[in-house]
Amino acid sequence: MAEETLLLLKNIRTPGYTGDLAAYQKAGGSKAWEKVLKSMKPAEVIEVLKASGLRGRGGAGFPCGMKWSFMPPPSDKPHYLVCNADESEPGTFKDHLIMLNDPHEFLEGMMIGCYAMNSHHGYIYIRGESQHAIKRVQQAIDELYKAKLLGKNILGGGFDLHLTVHPGAGAYICGEETAMLDSLEGKRGQPRSKPPFPAQSGFDACPTTVNNVETLANVPFILNQGAEAFAALGPANNAGTQCVSISGHVAKPGVYEVEMGHNLKSLIYDYAGGIRGGKKLKAVIPGGASAGILRPDEIDIPYDFDNLMKAGTMRGSGAIMVFDEDTDVVRLAERTIRFFNHESCGQCTPCREGTFWLKNMVRQFMDDAGDEALAKRMERAAFQIGGTTICAFGDAVSGPMMAFVRKFPEEFAKHYAS
Amino acid sequence: MAKVGFSDAVLKEVNTLFERYPKKVHALLPVLHIAQRENAGWLPEGWDAYVAELCETTLNHVRGVITFYNMYKTTPVGRHHIMVCTCLPCGLCGGTEVLEHLEHRLGIKSGNVTPDGQFSLEESQCLAACDQAPLMMVNEDLQKRITLEEIDRWIDEARAKKA
Ligand SMILES: Cc1cc2nc3c(=O)[nH]c(=O)nc-3n(C[C@H](O)[C@H](O)[C@H](O)COP(=O)(O)O)c2cc1C
Ligand code: SF4
Ligand code: FES
């Protein structure tokens, strides 16, 4: 296998690493937290984050330092940082790798984020099915309280901080940040119209920032090694490394850490071992179920936010799903729309009705009862969901469903009525 | 109807939970999880109203939440609650075959419980372990890269243990 560029997974790749606090500290952990508490002002931390160029790893790639700077100055309202550990985008499993094997890394990043945004309480929202991750992260938090790295007057610096694990209960939409905030308030997870943005009115109507696990896991490195060291990795505007989840018909599915901008084809062939059973490649979905599908001749591109967007799809959560020559692309479309139809929160008509119609259309192809007009209708229905909804879920349905029909017309033609 | 309400020990647990949130209702999801844990994995009649009272909210609010989230159950689940991922990519990496095999072996369709109450089966969306496909989750335990033979063995063992 080709070498990984280890920044986030360095500890995890060290044989025998246990991930408990002692092991984390032995590997140099907790230093950034101490440094920040002892020698930096919150605004200085945000400046470092801005200079690093770190972009969010949860899906949208929003600049992390800028997001933190949107938080208002301290007032009588509490501030909150919520860590998005919902990880429900089909094909994505890198946050679980981090949570289960090196939880202190993202927790340290989260603590630094809380300090930078004057937040004294952070919530880690973990999907409810992942009891193993919930237990592991709770155990790590208990260790931090015991070591007095969390709690009141931490390290005598006068800063108080509490972290709480909050379990979800099985709803993909709760990964969307405003749905997550409603869910954290004990409500149904239905996305909110913006504005107001969470930095103005988030959890409990107080200033709130939501960040993904992997995003936060980068923070200790940036404070220890400096913004320049981080910015030096990856192409311009796409700094750092990325933990890429590769699944499907590859020989070695798993998470691989590479620089941003690493070639997509190389990820599949040099890291994930190529197509299993020596088969040929048929298609790649490069950024979770919300990303448009690519044909084999389209994957020789740098894998990062900007280049994937240029290719008409997206990097999303960094989940690459690979499918071999025996795959029926219509079935891929069927699995995808079944997922979205099941998970739509139902607030917006185009999303609620559109996912239902699309599901029925794809099923007609599955029953070998399609025709060219139906394929056109499907594409148009998918197009019309885009840009018309409260949250980005609508676009997440629209993009991939259009791409299936546009990129693989011959696959749909196999399911025309004879 | 069995008694509705937490024991003193569990109430203490719930109260420490409340302290972590600005309002009690914020803890509704974890409290409902605890209620299910105390009731063999589901919410029998009356628990929605009890939890509403405890979390200082309305019954309709709690019912809305229970029906929104997949993990809350208003009918009994089996002693072994099995979730099989048939999402994308698992569905194309053996997940569908695992589900069909389980339906056949247990004699129930997804969404049902075996008459002896031992097994319940649920088709699930992505469980964030796609590199381990095909997989099933039995209660809290993730069984990875499972084969049909392993499933047969597991069912036989689970049945034998009961008998
Ligand atoms: C439908 C939908 C589902 C999402 N699911 C997740 C998720 O599971 N995990 C995640 O980190 N972000 C998810 N996001 C993105 C979040 O809304 C948010 O952008 C992200 O957590 C911000 O963190 P970041 O800036 O660190 O990436 C989702 C977005 C949408 C629209
Ligand atoms: S786009 Fe879909 S998921 Fe998002 S708010 Fe509207 S109905 Fe809900
Ligand atoms: S698709 Fe099955 S675990 Fe992700």
Side-chain angles (χ1 to χ4, degrees):
Chain A
M1 186 187 92
E3 291 267 318
E4 292 182 287
T5 304
L6 294 175
L7 187 158
L8 296 182
L9 305 185
K10 200 166 164 190
N11 291 339
I12 294 178
R13 296 295 189 240
T14 307
Y17 182 73
T18 56
D20 56 29
L21 186 58
Y24 181 64
Q25 293 185 328
K26 209 170 138 211
S30 300
K31 287 214 171 70
W33 178 226
E34 288 172 28
K35 172 173 149 181
V36 162
L37 279 179
K38 287 195 172 137
S39 65
M40 289 178 84
K41 291 200 177 69
E44 290 171 347
V45 179
I46 295 184
E47 284 315 307
V48 175
L49 258 290
K50 274 188 176 167
S52 74
L54 172 64
R55 293 173 66 173
R57 305 298 196 236
F62 196 83
C64 180
M66 198 195 293
K67 193 192 268 189
W68 289 10
S69 74
F70 292 158
M71 289 288 273
S75 69
D76 53 345
K77 275 191 176 180
H79 291 188
Y80 296 104
L81 173 58
V82 177
C83 174
N84 190 337
D86 197 50
E87 192 157 70
S88 315
E89 180 70 32
T92 319
F93 42 90
K94 43 100 186 172
D95 293 339
H96 275 70
L97 179 80
I98 295 171
M99 286 192 283
L100 290 170
N101 298 290
D102 199 12
H104 284 291
E105 184 176 48
F106 86 95
L107 288 174
E108 186 179 3
M110 185 173 183
M111 288 146 67
I112 294 168
C114 286
Y115 179 81
M117 290 180 273
N118 299 294
S119 162
H120 300 286
H121 200 145
Y123 292 91
I124 300 132
Y125 188 108
I126 305 180
R127 55 183 303 170
E129 299 92 341
S130 298
Q131 278 303 319
H132 50 317
I134 290 171
K135 285 188 186 137
R136 187 71 191 83
V137 173
Q138 185 59 54
Q139 199 186 353
I141 290 174
D142 295 344
E143 284 184 300
L144 289 166
Y145 274 106
K146 224 168 130 198
K148 303 212 174 344
L149 292 169
L150 271 184
K152 285 207 151 65
N153 188 20
I154 300 165
L155 300 176
F159 186 73
D160 300 347
L161 178 61
H162 296 281
L163 292 183
T164 298
V165 174
H166 183 91
Y172 164 69
I173 194 57
C174 291
E176 195 279 339
E177 57 181 15
T178 60
M180 175 163 291
L181 298 175
D182 267 21
S183 185
L184 193 59
E185 291 175 4
K187 299 177 183 151
R188 300 156 66 96
Q190 290 186 312
R192 305 173 179 177
S193 311
K194 300 190 251 190
F197 290 93
Q200 274 74 53
S201 179
F203 175 57
D204 200 28
C206 293
T208 304
T209 290
V210 180
N211 274 127
N212 168 262
V213 171
E214 184 189 349
T215 310
L216 294 170
N218 280 288
V219 173
F221 175 91
I222 292 169
L223 281 143
N224 283 327
Q225 310 292 322
E228 298 72 29
F230 186 82
L233 294 159
N237 198 36
N238 293 267
T241 61
Q242 53 187 336
C243 295
V244 182
S245 316
I246 309 183
S247 63
H249 303 142
V250 288
K252 289 187 288 179
V255 176
Y256 299 97
E257 183 174 17
V258 295
E259 262 186 70
M260 277 285 173
H262 190 93
N263 184 280
L264 171 55
K265 193 170 180 179
S266 157
L267 269 164
I268 295 167
Y269 286 91
D270 302 334
Y271 290 82
I275 314 306
R276 70 183 187 202
K279 294 229 165 97
K280 284 209 207 67
L281 175 67
K282 180 171 278 178
V284 175
I285 298 178
S290 306
I293 196 165
L294 295 172
R295 295 184 69 100
D297 60 356
E298 295 178 299
I299 63 165
D300 198 0
I301 51 172
Y303 190 72
D304 61 36
F305 293 109
D306 294 348
N307 277 295
L308 271 276
M309 191 171 280
K310 224 162 69 193
T313 177
M314 62 176 200
R315 198 206 80 107
S317 55
I320 301 173
M321 300 184 265
V322 180
F323 300 102
D324 69 17
E325 55 186 322
D326 298 337
T327 307
D328 180 355
V329 174
V330 174
R331 181 145 158 75
L332 280 184
E334 187 270 331
R335 289 288 96 180
T336 303
I337 196 59
R338 175 182 163 274
F339 171 77
F340 284 124
N341 179 240
H342 187 261
E343 299 299 332
S344 167
C345 87
Q347 286 188 100
C348 317
T349 311
C351 174
R352 184 186 62 244
E353 306 295 316
T355 53
F356 179 73
W357 293 349
L358 285 170
K359 186 175 77 176
N360 288 341
M361 290 185 218
V362 178
R363 289 217 165 135
Q364 262 178 275
F365 282 102
M366 291 297 286
D367 294 341
D368 290 328
D371 58 27
E372 208 179 325
L374 183 63
K376 284 246 152 56
R377 225 165 35 245
M378 222 184 103
E379 191 186 334
R380 208 166 49 238
F383 173 76
Q384 285 176 344
I385 301 173
T388 62
T389 54
I390 292 175
C391 87
F393 184 105
D395 300 327
V397 180
S398 179
M401 292 312 288
M402 277 195 292
F404 284 126
V405 188
R406 282 185 185 163
K407 295 260 163 98
F408 289 92
E410 75 278 14
E411 292 275 319
F412 284 84
K414 283 186 208 159
H415 294 276
Y416 287 176
S418 45
Chain B
M1 199 167 82
K3 180 183 162 291
V4 173
F6 290 135
S7 68
D8 287 347
V10 177
L11 268 180
K12 225 174 112 193
E13 181 187 352
V14 169
N15 281 324
T16 28
L17 207 57
F18 285 151
E19 286 166 19
R20 312 295 300 186
Y21 297 86
K23 300 187 181 81
K24 284 186 177 175
V25 66
H26 298 159
L28 180 56
L29 267 60
V31 172
L32 284 171
H33 281 306
I34 294 174
Q36 290 207 141
R37 186 194 72 200
E38 296 297 308
N39 286 289
W42 68 294
L43 296 163
E45 207 189 321
W47 279 84
D48 46 5
Y50 173 74
V51 168
E53 191 76 26
L54 208 57
C55 292
E56 299 178 350
T57 184
T58 63
L59 175 59
N60 276 339
H61 176 94
V62 174
R63 285 189 175 158
V65 166
I66 289 172
T67 51
F68 184 83
Y69 294 94
N70 280 329
M71 289 181 73
Y72 300 128
K73 312 287 180 201
T74 50
T75 50
V77 294
R79 204 160 68 87
H80 306 280
H81 182 66
I82 310 168
M83 297 207 299
V84 182
C85 176
T86 62
C87 193
L88 184 78
C90 278
L92 289 104
C93 297
T96 313
E97 289 74 17
V98 165
L99 181 70
E100 278 166 8
H101 187 74
L102 278 162
E103 287 184 335
H104 175 73
R105 274 299 312 262
L106 299 174
I108 52 170
K109 286 276 172 208
S110 161
N112 291 285
V113 192
T114 52
D116 62 359
Q118 286 298 300
F119 303 93
S120 48
L121 191 57
E122 181 180 343
E123 186 173 7
S124 107
Q125 305 291 0
C126 180
L127 291 167
C130 332
D131 54 337
Q132 309 290 340
L135 50 92
M136 61 180 197
M137 194 179 254
V138 182
N139 301 334
E140 294 177 3
D141 177 35
L142 198 59
Q143 304 198 9
K144 303 163 180 170
R145 295 194 192 205
I146 194 152
T147 63
L148 302 187
E149 293 74 46
E150 282 165 348
I151 291 173
D152 287 344
R153 221 173 311 135
W154 175 78
I155 292 175
D156 291 342
E157 275 167 25
R159 281 198 174 128
K161 244 184 242 159
K162 176 74 206 335

